[in-house]
Amino acid sequence: MKYGLYENAKDLLDKFKQIYPDNIEIHQRLKKLYKEIDHKEEAITECLALKDLYDKRGEQENSAQIVKEALEINPDDERLSSFKEMPIYQYTVETAKAPSIEEYSEEIAEADFYIRQGLIDEAHEILERLNNIFPDNVEIKRRLESLGHVVETGEPKVEKHEAVLEEKVAIEEMAKSEDVIEAEEVEELELDKDVLDIFEEFKKGLEKEVKEEDYETHYNLGIAYKEMALIDDAIKEFQISKKDPKRAISASNMLGLCYMEKGLYSLAIEAFKDAISMTKEKDESYWSMKYDLAEAYERNGDIKEALDLFIEVYGWNSKFRDVSEKINNLKVKVSEDIDKRKTKDRKDRVSYI
């Protein structure tokens, strides 16, 4: 996965972690992601978070295994120093269940994808890591050898440097062709799909866990989805959370902003009007919603309504956002519309005569 898409996945998981800090799967995915981009400190942070969660559940083997994994990532991390001096814990680590190759099916599939796309270095990095974990696995060795990697076995070493060199030259030549450009586009789509798959998995789980009347969580999910530009999902959460009297104003306002992003200006107008009608104090948030409503009218082509509202906001604070510029621009539009109507009326009269 390319670094930018790792960042997207990390941001997505971080937001879910803020909402569900005790969700083990979220921490596991973050740990895996940090390991893959070699962010050791963050990976160990997730390991320690998982250890605490396993301890709370009384899952001693998992707790021991995750500390062992943290020590393998960076045994010199100061946060792990106490674990090195605990013989009982070390005993538990030794008796913990060893990892299974089936648990790494996603990594194997990713390596195979890189091989098909000619991304030798990326495939080699994944397979080398798997070979260190499963040194006796024949399939991993076979894949490494197909890349020209010399695998340590009891048999004589067979080096394939020339084959690797020829393969790299061929790949470089192919990079100049349209076929490889198309392959890169397919790769990007696949990687984007990886990020979306993470979201879809969690969304299904959250739908089962979050109750309809848990308005606070629905509202927080809406905020998270909007920040991630998942507007349809944000709208769904705000529509639920606005049923809560305590959040009706803010949820309606957020709905208006979401509708604006989707270009649904008539819906945005109704949402902002709902929020404003429920607001008792005319503080800055009130006038901010007034401004947003004016902008919704403007984009919907309702110039007069927009201008009237912008003038109201100007009367409250002439320096708020760019309200002065908005008024000047809309006055010009109104004037132009009046001139057009007058011209049309004159033409209609002449035509009638």
Side-chain angles (χ1 to χ4, degrees):
M1 190 183 292
K2 291 188 177 179
Y3 188 78
L5 293 175
Y6 272 117
E7 284 297 306
N8 290 342
K10 182 181 77 65
D11 291 344
L12 181 68
L13 291 168
D14 276 337
K15 286 188 170 57
F16 279 122
K17 187 172 74 169
Q18 291 172 15
I19 299 169
Y20 291 99
D22 294 336
N23 186 293
I24 285 178
E25 187 177 356
I26 294 173
H27 289 285
Q28 287 173 334
R29 284 184 174 273
L30 276 168
K31 169 183 66 70
K32 176 185 172 185
L33 185 148
Y34 286 131
K35 286 178 68 176
E36 288 179 354
I37 58 177
D38 200 32
H39 286 193
K40 295 180 180 180
E41 184 175 345
E42 290 87 347
I44 290 174
T45 297
E46 295 304 324
C47 286
L48 294 174
L50 283 165
K51 178 196 176 300
D52 290 340
L53 292 173
Y54 288 138
D55 287 344
K56 289 177 183 177
R57 295 185 177 197
E59 299 177 12
Q60 292 304 313
E61 283 193 358
N62 286 333
S63 177
Q65 188 64 36
I66 202 67
V67 171
K68 180 182 178 183
E69 185 175 349
L71 288 166
E72 289 172 352
I73 294 170
N74 182 12
D76 297 325
D77 191 297
E78 292 182 359
R79 293 171 293 175
L80 304 177
S81 58
S82 60
F83 297 118
K84 299 177 184 179
E85 303 168 2
M86 296 175 63
I88 296 176
Y89 196 87
Q90 288 171 358
Y91 172 77
T92 310
V93 169
E94 293 299 324
T95 57
K97 185 175 71 172
S100 167
I101 188 65
E102 285 76 17
E103 297 173 8
Y104 291 83
S105 58
E106 289 184 11
E107 285 84 347
I108 294 173
E110 188 176 2
D112 288 342
F113 172 78
Y114 285 142
I115 292 171
R116 290 195 300 272
Q117 299 302 322
L119 301 169
I120 306 303
D121 291 339
E122 288 84 349
H124 178 273
E125 182 180 347
I126 294 172
L127 292 171
E128 184 65 37
R129 187 167 62 247
L130 291 175
N131 188 56
N132 290 334
I133 301 172
F134 304 101
D136 299 324
N137 188 279
V138 176
E139 286 300 310
I140 293 173
K141 291 187 189 303
R142 181 183 62 78
R143 285 177 171 82
L144 278 169
E145 288 172 351
S146 72
L147 300 179
H149 177 73
V150 180
V151 183
E152 295 289 343
T153 65
E155 302 173 0
K157 296 181 180 178
V158 179
E159 297 191 4
K160 301 184 180 180
H161 295 302
E162 292 182 5
V164 174
L165 182 60
E166 290 175 4
E167 189 170 7
K168 286 187 176 180
V169 170
I171 291 169
E172 289 172 2
E173 291 297 322
M174 288 174 63
K176 300 175 183 178
S177 70
E178 292 183 359
D179 292 339
V180 169
I181 293 174
E182 291 177 3
E184 289 173 353
E185 290 174 354
V186 170
E187 180 191 1
E188 289 292 344
L189 290 174
E190 290 288 338
L191 296 176
D192 281 327
K193 184 177 180 296
D194 287 343
V195 177
L196 291 175
D197 285 345
I198 293 173
F199 167 68
E200 289 300 329
E201 281 183 40
F202 280 110
K203 191 168 72 169
K204 289 176 183 177
L206 292 175
E207 286 173 354
K208 295 177 182 178
E209 290 182 26
V210 182
K211 296 179 180 179
E212 176 82 9
E213 61 273 17
D214 187 356
Y215 299 122
E216 182 179 359
T217 297
H218 283 294
Y219 183 81
N220 290 336
L221 282 170
I223 295 294
Y225 292 153
K226 186 178 183 302
E227 288 178 358
M228 292 183 281
L230 300 168
I231 303 302
D232 289 330
D233 294 290
I235 288 172
K236 178 182 175 182
E237 299 301 331
F238 290 133
Q239 286 174 338
I240 295 172
S241 59
K242 78 170 185 176
K243 297 175 185 177
D244 179 11
K246 296 178 181 178
R247 299 187 178 275
I249 295 174
S250 55
S252 295
N253 183 48
M254 294 306 298
L255 273 172
L257 296 174
C258 289
Y259 290 140
M260 289 285 282
E261 288 195 37
K262 286 185 67 69
L264 303 173
Y265 303 124
S266 59
L267 290 178
I269 289 169
E270 292 306 312
F272 288 134
K273 286 170 71 176
D274 285 346
I276 291 168
S277 68
M278 291 183 282
T279 304
K280 296 179 181 179
E281 295 183 12
K282 292 188 177 183
D283 54 10
E284 184 168 340
S285 63
Y286 170 86
W287 291 106
S288 179
M289 289 187 289
K290 279 271 190 178
Y291 182 98
D292 291 334
L293 175 59
E295 201 161 50
Y297 273 126
E298 180 188 3
R299 295 189 189 181
N300 200 46
D302 303 320
I303 304 302
K304 185 180 182 304
E305 290 83 353
L307 180 58
D308 290 344
L309 281 168
F310 280 130
I311 290 173
E312 278 189 52
V313 175
Y314 184 88
W316 166 70
N317 182 353
S318 61
K319 295 182 179 180
F320 186 73
R321 299 188 190 176
D322 57 349
V323 66
S324 181
E325 183 180 348
K326 286 280 189 183
I327 290 171
N328 292 335
N329 291 338
L330 289 181
K331 279 184 176 180
V332 172
K333 286 186 179 180
V334 169
S335 178
E336 289 174 351
D337 288 344
I338 292 173
D339 290 341
K340 286 179 183 178
R341 282 199 297 271
K342 287 181 178 178
T343 302
K344 184 177 182 300
D345 289 343
R346 283 197 297 269
K347 286 182 179 179
D348 289 343
R349 284 198 298 271
V350 170
S351 176
Y352 177 76
I353 295 170

